[in-house]
Amino acid sequence: MSKAKKINLTLKVWRQKDQNEIGRFETHPVKGISTDMSFLEMLDHLNQQIIHAGGDPIAFDSDCREGICGSCSTTINGNPHGPDRETATCQLHMRRFEDGQTIVVEPFRARAFPVIRDISVDRSALDRIIAAGGFVSVSTGNAQDANAIPISKESSDLAFDAAACIGCGACVAACKNASAMLFTSAKISQLALLPQGAVEKDRRARNMVAQMDREKFGNCTNTGACEAACPKGITLENMARMNRQFTSAWLTARVR
Amino acid sequence: MTSRSGFFSSSVGKKYLMGVTGAGLSLFVLAHMLGNMLLFVSPEAYNLYGHTLIHSKFIYFFEAGLIVLFLLHIIYGVTLTLQNRAARGYRTYLTTSGDKAVTFSSKTMIWTGTIVGVFTIIHLLNFKFGAYYEIVYDGVTVRDLQRLMLELFMSPWYVAWYVFAMLTMLFHLWHGVQSAFQSLGFRHPRYTPGIIKFGAVFAWIVGLGFMSQPLYVYFFLN
Ligand code: HEM
Ligand code: FES
C-alpha cells in the first residue's frame, strides 16, 4: 500500500501576464499534498485550488512527465529542476520536501528566454540553434543493418550520452552568464561522434556557435553550474569538444 | 548559410583568448613569485637578480608581452562580464545551491580580477616607478630594491593590503588555472581530475609564496 504522507507547503510563485509586464511573486498556502505527487502534480493540485477560488491558474509547461521531452521548466528555490541532480521537474517528488516548507517557484530565466506567461518561457532560441546546423543534411536512407557501419563502443556510448540532452534549457537558466554552451555542445557532439554526422562537423560547429551567439546567450566562464543543473547528466567534456572543433574548423576553413 | 563573425568575437574565441592570456599571466606570476624568493637569501642576491633582469636583452620584449597579455585579459574579461550580465536578464537571480552549487572562486572572477588589477597598478607605481636608491656591489652600481621594499613593508597597512591582494589572486587562480585548460579544449575523465588538483596546488603555491614575502620582511627584517 502507499506510504504517502500528506504535507502542507507555502508556495511563492512567479506571476507575469506576458513578456512586457514586470512580474511579481504570489504566495499560496497549499494543503494536503501527497508526498507521492510529482512537482508538476503538486502544481496541478495548486491550480485546482486557485480555480475553485475563482482565480487564474498558473501557466507552466509540461508534456511527457517522465523526463524525456524537455518541456518542464521550473526553477525551484533557485535551482533549475529543483534540488536533485539528474532529475527533471516532472521526476521530482514531493517526498523531497518537508512539511511546512516554503518553496520559491520561478521560470527558467535568461534574456534569450522571454517569459510567455508565469512559469512558461519561450525557448525557441534553442530550436534556432538546431536549425542552424544540428542535423545531417544528406538523406541517410532507411535504418541500416546494425553492423553495416562499424562504430566503436566508445564512440557510440559518447554520442548516446550527448544525445540524452532533452533541450530543456536548464543549463542556460542555471548559468550566471545565461550561456547555452552546454546545450549547443551536446548537439554538436552527438552528431560529430558518429560517421553520418562527422562529414559536416566543421560547418555545423561554426554555424551553430554563430547562431548561439546571435541569440544573445552569454559567454561561458566554466563555473560548471550547467553540468550540475542538467537533468540528463550532460558533461563539460562536450563543451571542450565543441571548443576544439570550432577552433579547428575555423583554422582549416577555406571560406570565412 | 548562416553568416559568421570573426574568431575572437565568437563566444568560443573569447574563451580561447581568456584562456591563453590567463595561462600566460599565470606563468608570469609563478616566475615572479619564485624570483622574489631571493629576498630570503640576502639583500645582495635580491638586488643582483633585479639588476640582471632589468639589463637583460629581452626585457623590453617581455614587458611588451606582459602589457599585451594584461590589456587583452582585462578588456576581454570586462567585456565578457558586461555581456554576460546583460544576457542574464532583467531580474536578480536566485543562485543555485546545495548539490547544484558552484565554487565561490568561479562566481567572483571579475571581482578578484579587478582587485588584482588595481593591486598591479599600485604595485608598479610603488616599486618599478618608486624611489630610486642605489647600492654598489664589487664596483657595480645597482638599484637597491631591497631598501625600497623594507621601507614599504614597514607599514602594517601596506603589508595587510598586499597579503589581501595576494589572497584574492589565489582565488582568481584557483578557478582560473583549471578553467583555462577547459577553455582551450582539454577535458577528459582520464586527466581532468589531475588538472583540477594541479590548478588548486598552483594557486596555493603562488598565493602563499607571495604572502610569505611581505610577512617575512615585516616580522623578521625590519
Ligand atoms: C596577474 C594577474 C592575473 C592572472 C594570473 C589571471 C589569470 C586568469 C586565468 C588563468 C583565467 C581563466 C581563463 C579561462 O577561463 O579560460 C582568468 C579568468 C578571468 N580573469 Fe584573470 N588573471 C589576472 C588578472 C585579471 C584582471 C586584472 C582582471 C580584471 C578585470 C581579470 C579578470 C578575469 C575574468 C573576468 C575572468 C573570467 C573570464 C572567463 O573565464 O571567461 N583577471 N584569469
Ligand atoms: S515534462 Fe517532459 S521532461 Fe519534464
Side-chain angles (χ1 to χ4, degrees):
Chain A
M1 281 312 293
S2 164
K3 293 213 187 75
K5 286 193 304 183
K6 299 271 181 184
I7 55 171
N8 304 324
L9 296 170
T10 306
L11 256 70
K12 288 178 80 176
V13 188
W14 186 257
R15 303 305 302 263
Q16 186 173 340
K17 280 214 165 49
D18 55 42
Q19 195 180 329
N20 303 317
E21 200 209 39
I22 300 173
R24 72 206 141 78
F25 281 106
E26 204 172 77
T27 306
H28 291 278
V30 197
K31 293 216 158 47
I33 300 164
S34 158
T35 48
D36 277 354
M37 282 180 183
S38 76
F39 200 85
L40 296 181
E41 285 168 334
M42 184 276 294
L43 289 178
D44 291 336
H45 179 80
L46 167 60
N47 272 343
Q48 283 303 319
Q49 192 179 303
I50 294 176
I51 292 166
H52 281 306
D56 202 4
I58 300 154
F60 64 90
D61 287 323
S62 78
D63 187 10
C64 71
R65 301 212 173 192
E66 56 177 2
I68 56 171
C69 74
S71 300
C72 53
S73 54
T74 313
T75 302
I76 301 159
N77 288 340
N79 286 325
H81 290 308
D84 293 336
R85 281 189 172 234
E86 299 196 33
T87 308
T89 304
C90 57
Q91 299 169 296
L92 174 66
H93 286 83
M94 298 315 293
R95 62 185 80 95
R96 186 68 176 69
F97 299 92
E98 309 277 322
D99 190 28
Q101 201 178 333
T102 299
I103 305 178
V104 181
V105 183
E106 289 179 274
F108 276 6
R109 292 184 194 280
R111 177 176 56 176
F113 290 169
V115 171
I116 299 171
R117 194 181 175 86
D118 303 334
I119 307 301
S120 174
V121 297
D122 178 359
R123 286 167 282 177
S124 55
L126 298 182
D127 301 337
R128 290 189 291 274
I129 296 178
I130 297 290
F135 47 79
V136 173
S137 58
V138 293
S139 168
T140 52
N142 286 331
Q144 302 264 349
D145 268 357
N147 47 10
I149 306 175
I151 297 170
S152 74
K153 173 88 172 100
E154 193 183 70
S155 303
S156 73
D157 281 353
L158 286 173
F160 192 81
D161 287 348
C165 168
I166 54 177
C168 62
C171 44
V172 178
C175 175
K176 79 176 175 58
N177 313 317
S179 163
M181 282 205 169
L182 192 67
F183 166 82
T184 308
S185 71
K187 300 303 177 188
I188 285 177
S189 294
Q190 142 196 352
L191 292 166
L193 285 162
L194 296 178
Q196 295 88 340
V199 182
E200 292 174 276
K201 70 177 181 354
D202 285 7
R203 181 167 56 179
R204 181 182 304 114
R206 296 188 72 199
N207 287 345
M208 289 179 79
V209 169
Q211 186 62 33
M212 171 180 81
D213 292 347
R214 201 166 304 123
E215 297 291 347
K216 302 257 182 283
F217 288 106
N219 309 284
C220 171
T221 58
N222 304 329
T223 66
C226 52
E227 186 183 59
C230 179
K232 294 292 134 187
I234 303 293
T235 61
L236 296 179
E237 216 183 314
N238 293 293
M239 237 152 66
R241 183 180 297 110
M242 173 176 76
N243 291 359
R244 292 196 298 269
Q245 287 193 354
F246 180 83
T247 308
S248 87
W250 184 82
L251 285 172
T252 53
R254 299 270 161 185
V255 280
R256 294 259 287 151
Chain B
M1 194 183 75
T2 328
S3 75
R4 311 144 172 156
S5 48
F7 184 70
F8 291 112
S9 32
S10 71
S11 48
V12 175
K14 283 182 269 194
K15 291 191 62 172
Y16 260 81
L17 206 120
M18 285 311 280
V20 169
T21 55
L25 291 173
S26 303
L27 291 178
F28 163 69
V29 289
L30 176 68
H32 192 0
M33 185 280 288
L34 292 175
N36 284 3
M37 283 299 169
L38 287 171
L39 69 87
F40 286 94
V41 178
S42 71
E44 185 171 349
Y46 184 76
N47 280 333
L48 286 177
Y49 160 71
H51 185 77
T52 321
L53 271 193
I54 300 169
H55 291 88
S56 149
K57 266 191 246 150
F58 303 109
I59 186 68
Y60 291 112
F61 172 76
F62 277 110
E63 283 184 347
L66 272 177
I67 292 175
V68 171
L69 286 185
F70 259 106
L71 286 182
L72 283 176
H73 191 80
I74 292 172
I75 293 168
Y76 272 79
V78 171
T79 320
L80 274 171
T81 306
L82 294 177
Q83 286 174 347
N84 291 347
R85 295 228 167 130
R88 182 90 295 282
Y90 44 91
R91 195 178 159 271
T92 358
Y93 197 63
L94 287 170
T95 46
T96 50
S97 55
D99 278 354
K100 296 186 176 178
V102 298
T103 58
F104 168 79
S105 51
S106 75
K107 286 188 287 191
T108 48
M109 290 302 273
I110 188 62
W111 300 118
T112 49
T114 304
I115 293 170
V116 172
V118 170
F119 169 84
T120 309
I121 295 169
I122 298 178
H123 186 69
L124 283 174
L125 291 176
N126 287 166
F127 283 89
K128 189 170 173 58
F129 304 108
Y132 199 98
Y133 303 121
E134 286 182 335
I135 189 166
V136 180
Y137 296 115
D138 296 331
V140 189
T141 313
V142 305
R143 182 169 181 191
D144 194 354
L145 276 167
Q146 151 86 6
R147 178 168 159 206
L148 176 62
M149 184 177 70
L150 292 186
E151 272 183 19
L152 287 168
F153 290 155
M154 241 156 59
S155 150
W157 296 113
Y158 196 85
V159 171
W161 150 247
Y162 198 101
V163 168
F164 167 74
M166 292 303 101
L167 190 66
T168 60
M169 188 169 79
L170 192 164
F171 279 96
H172 198 80
L173 290 173
W174 201 344
H175 172 70
V177 172
Q178 56 83 28
S179 168
F181 281 93
Q182 163 77 8
S183 294
L184 299 177
F186 295 92
R187 194 170 194 99
H188 194 285
R190 205 177 70 235
Y191 53 70
T192 294
I195 288 179
I196 293 174
K197 279 191 208 105
F198 167 77
V201 170
F202 186 99
W204 278 89
I205 288 182
V206 171
L208 289 180
F210 271 129
M211 285 188 251
S212 70
Q213 294 156 356
L215 291 173
Y216 173 73
V217 173
Y218 183 77
F219 287 109
F220 299 103
L221 291 189
N222 271 316

